[in-house]
């Protein structure tokens, strides 16, 4: 099958829509097995009854790893928000309800968040060994539950159709502490809109009974782990300030 023009592209893959299916075509620099790794997480979320696109197949096309999944008609809530920021609280309330449904899943059989965060911190080039050691010790000291966490939850990973919301992009999912997952979402929002980030945390706390302090206890760990990702210089500096605040 010859795929036509991609409808979206990111750091790891290009997305095509053809024959009422979505083809996620991974880039060549990704390790073998990446498509299987991501598809298994998505299948697990689907098996939990969450609104997730059904995986149809994992295959190889022209030497590239590909996940084929069902097509979901709609637009991301992130796109809708960009058109009407006055609806921010409405959209965030919807997103928090969806995220809490994910967090309600008592999960097993997926990568533990603690291992994922430890691996990322160890790979963070901008942290010295001493700080890495302290952050890894802090992970071990945290009291966590085995809850399903999306790992990259934000409005652009929620597709709104006429009657439903569908959650996409499960590659960063893990089992761990919901407070860490909430702080990760907050951190992603602050990169673009502090007002949106603050509103999100307020709404999550109102609906869940968690406190902001409980969520922000994860700040140095999540910021340190994000330093292992492909972020720009400005974002690296911001993340380092968050980590260094913990040590000051």
């Amino acid at each position: 099958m010859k795929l036509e023009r991609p409808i979206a592209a990111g750091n790891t893959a290009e997305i095509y829509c053809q024959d009422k299916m979505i083809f996620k075509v991974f880039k060549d620099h990704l390790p073998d097995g990446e498509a299987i790794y991501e598809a298994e997480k998505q299948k697990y979320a689907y098996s939990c009854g969450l609104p997730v696109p059904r995986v149809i197949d994992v295959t190889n096309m022209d030497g590239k790893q590909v996940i084929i999944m069902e097509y979901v008609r709609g637009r991301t809530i992130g796109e809708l928000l960009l058109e009407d920021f006055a609806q921010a609280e409405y959209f965030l309330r919807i997103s928090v309800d969806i995220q809490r449904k994910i967090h309600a899943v008592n999960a097993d059989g997926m990568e533990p968040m603690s291992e994922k965060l430890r691996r990322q911190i160890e790979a963070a080039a901008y942290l010295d060994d001493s700080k890495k050691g302290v952050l890894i010790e802090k992970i071990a000291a945290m009291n966590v539950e085995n809850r399903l966490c999306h790992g990259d939850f934000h409005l652009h990973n929620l597709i709104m159709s006429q009657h439903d919301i569908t959650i996409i992009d499960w590659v960063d999912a893990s089992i761990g502490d919901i407070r860490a997952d909430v702080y990760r979402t907050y951190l992603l929002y602050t990169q673009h809109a502090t007002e949106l980030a603050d509103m999100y945390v307020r709404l999550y706390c109102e609906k869940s009974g968690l406190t902001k302090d409980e969520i922000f206890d994860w700040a140095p760990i999540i910021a340190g782990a994000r330093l292992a990702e492909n972020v720009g210089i400005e974002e690296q500096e911001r993340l380092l300030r968050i980590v260094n605040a913990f040590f000051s």
Side-chain angles (χ1 to χ4, degrees):
M1 176 185 293
K2 181 174 176 56
L3 297 176
E4 298 173 1
R5 185 177 301 176
I7 61 171
N11 290 329
T12 61
E14 292 182 334
I15 308 299
Y16 298 81
C17 180
Q18 202 157 308
D19 299 331
K20 296 183 179 179
M21 295 182 290
I22 291 294
F23 294 76
K24 185 168 186 176
V25 181
F26 288 80
K27 296 185 177 178
D28 292 335
H29 69 272
L30 275 298
D32 292 342
E34 186 71 14
I36 294 172
Y37 175 73
E38 178 172 340
E40 288 303 314
K41 290 187 176 186
Q42 187 165 321
K43 288 178 182 178
Y44 181 85
Y46 183 88
S47 74
C48 294
L50 293 168
V52 176
R54 179 175 60 88
V55 173
I56 297 170
D57 195 11
V58 182
T59 187
N60 193 287
M61 298 175 63
D62 297 326
K64 296 181 183 294
Q65 302 175 72
V66 182
I67 300 176
I68 305 173
M69 65 190 86
E70 67 175 318
Y71 169 65
V72 177
R73 183 180 297 278
R75 300 177 67 197
T76 71
I77 297 182
E79 291 172 322
L80 297 173
L81 176 65
L82 290 174
E83 293 177 358
D84 186 5
F85 201 81
Q87 295 293 312
E89 183 163 343
Y90 168 72
F91 289 134
L92 283 174
R93 284 187 181 277
I94 291 173
S95 76
V96 167
D97 288 341
I98 294 291
Q99 192 174 24
R100 294 194 67 221
K101 287 180 181 179
I102 298 172
H103 291 165
V105 175
N106 231 327
D108 56 24
M110 192 183 288
E111 180 181 25
M113 178 188 288
S114 58
E115 292 181 11
K116 183 172 184 287
L117 292 173
R118 185 181 300 111
R119 186 176 66 250
Q120 289 175 312
I121 287 171
E122 288 174 345
Y126 299 94
L127 292 177
D128 61 45
D129 289 343
S130 174
K131 288 179 179 176
K132 288 180 182 180
V134 172
L135 292 178
I136 289 170
E137 287 177 4
K138 184 171 175 60
I139 293 171
M142 295 297 240
N143 185 22
V144 303
E145 295 181 344
N146 286 338
R147 299 300 184 94
L148 182 60
C149 295
H150 183 275
D152 194 28
F153 190 87
H154 52 75
L155 297 179
H156 287 283
N157 277 337
L158 298 173
I159 297 176
M160 177 177 278
S161 55
Q162 190 171 0
H163 303 292
D164 302 296
I165 306 291
T166 303
I167 315 157
I168 61 172
D169 200 359
W170 284 86
V171 66
D172 292 309
S174 64
I175 297 168
D177 196 292
I178 66 174
R179 298 166 298 174
D181 203 42
V182 174
Y183 186 80
R184 163 80 179 187
T185 298
Y186 169 84
L187 186 65
L188 294 174
Y189 286 154
T190 55
Q191 189 174 353
H192 305 288
T194 302
E195 179 185 354
L196 190 75
D198 291 340
M199 187 185 299
Y200 159 74
V201 167
R202 173 176 62 80
L203 291 172
Y204 197 100
C205 289
E206 286 177 3
K207 288 175 176 284
S208 67
L210 291 175
T211 67
K212 187 175 179 179
D213 286 344
E214 288 176 305
I215 293 165
F216 276 57
D217 195 26
W218 282 90
I221 294 171
I222 301 302
R226 183 155 164 73
L227 282 166
E229 300 176 31
N230 183 24
V231 298
I233 297 297
E234 187 175 333
E235 179 66 358
Q236 289 172 8
E237 293 173 350
R238 188 175 78 95
L239 295 169
L240 282 170
R241 287 196 296 271
I242 294 170
V243 173
N244 290 334
F246 173 69
F247 290 91
S248 62

